[in-house]
Amino acid sequence: MSANLSAQRSKGPLWSLTSFFQRKILRTDRSRWNYQYEKGLWNGLENLDELARFSVLAGYVQFLKPDKPAILEIGCGEGILAHRIGTNHYDSYLGTDVADVAIKLAKQRFGDVRTHFEAVDMNDFQTDKTFDVIIFNEAIYYLKPMVDKLLMQYAPMLKPDGLLIISMNTGPHADSERKWAQIEQAFVVVDGSLVETEKNGWRIKVLRPLAVHELTV
């Protein structure tokens, strides 16, 4: 029996009923994501078929920001990308996710003096800090309205030479071509990579905000 399943059973039937009500009746995002992490549905992110995507993301950070940047990752899950980048390659890392369960696991596995995690909805996140890199790794789908939030909420968190790195699935369910077209009205593409494995595909782009006079949105 998995540790996740054992933990769920130890909480008893009342917890199960409450979880079901929150997920299916109230349909809260936090409850749905917590349920998925509790069931271990995202354990596969550490498998070989995900290695290429995480390697490209980590490589962009290490190559483009070699002087130990301040990193913000939105939708960090259990903190796998922070681990792949490595603490030797950043001065500070802040990972956020709506799922309390994922954040708890991230803190247990990877939290240290440079690496911090916070449970918060990406649509509500605010901070006075600025970052050299902001990463949305398979998370941009949940930012709504996407371009408005990127421009008004997240672009101001970038340092003057800061970069935005976004990964999106290439499958038709992600509607990524339309999303990229919207994003590129407000951001300049610095570089891009197409990552394909036997099971999946992603397009990863490094962007910087357009100057105010360049905006067409």
Side-chain angles (χ1 to χ4, degrees):
M1 182 185 299
S2 71
N4 285 338
L5 184 56
S6 297
Q8 291 171 48
R9 289 186 176 178
S10 69
K11 294 176 182 178
L14 181 59
W15 175 86
S16 298
L17 181 61
T18 301
S19 177
F20 177 84
F21 180 78
Q22 290 175 331
R23 287 184 288 110
K24 299 298 185 180
I25 308 302
L26 298 182
R27 296 189 177 276
T28 63
D29 287 339
R30 175 166 280 115
S31 296
R32 286 203 302 270
W33 286 106
N34 278 338
Y35 174 80
Q36 291 177 21
Y37 277 103
E38 285 164 346
K39 297 287 285 186
L41 300 182
W42 294 102
N43 291 349
L45 291 176
E46 295 188 81
N47 291 348
L48 179 61
D49 58 344
E50 296 283 349
L51 176 63
R53 170 163 61 99
F54 282 92
S55 296
V56 170
L57 289 162
Y60 270 137
V61 173
Q62 294 165 5
F63 184 84
L64 294 172
K65 295 294 181 181
D67 297 325
K68 294 195 173 181
I71 301 170
L72 170 65
E73 184 184 1
I74 304 299
C76 68
E78 296 178 39
I80 297 168
L81 182 57
H83 180 61
R84 295 290 168 80
I85 295 170
T87 55
N88 290 336
H89 293 284
Y90 57 76
D91 181 65
S92 67
Y93 167 97
L94 174 60
T96 73
D97 200 284
V98 72
D100 311 87
V101 172
I103 291 299
K104 182 178 179 180
L105 292 168
K107 288 178 178 179
Q108 292 171 348
R109 298 183 65 191
F110 306 122
D112 58 33
V113 67
R114 295 183 181 178
T115 312
H116 302 274
F117 299 94
E118 180 180 346
V120 61
D121 190 308
M122 68 177 68
N123 291 287
D124 301 325
F125 176 70
Q126 296 292 335
T127 181
D128 294 330
K129 297 178 181 178
T130 55
F131 303 89
D132 297 289
V133 183
I134 298 177
I135 302 169
F136 286 82
N137 179 19
E138 292 299 282
I140 198 71
Y141 321 110
Y142 310 104
L143 189 67
K144 298 176 181 179
M146 182 182 64
V147 176
D148 288 348
K149 289 276 188 177
L150 283 175
L151 277 173
M152 304 304 294
Q153 183 175 341
Y154 285 100
M157 297 179 191
L158 286 170
K159 294 182 180 180
D161 60 346
L163 297 171
L164 178 68
I165 303 178
I166 298 175
S167 163
M168 275 196 269
N169 196 283
T170 56
H173 64 282
D175 192 23
S176 60
E177 291 302 319
R178 183 180 64 85
K179 290 182 174 69
W180 284 125
Q182 293 175 344
I183 291 169
E184 289 170 29
Q185 293 181 59
F187 294 83
V188 174
V189 177
V190 175
D191 195 57
S193 297
L194 177 62
V195 179
E196 292 185 317
T197 68
E198 292 296 323
K199 295 183 178 180
N200 226 324
W202 304 269
R203 192 169 295 281
I204 301 171
K205 295 188 182 185
V206 181
L207 309 108
R208 66 165 180 82
L210 285 165
V212 174
H213 70 275
E214 298 176 293
L215 289 174
T216 60
V217 178

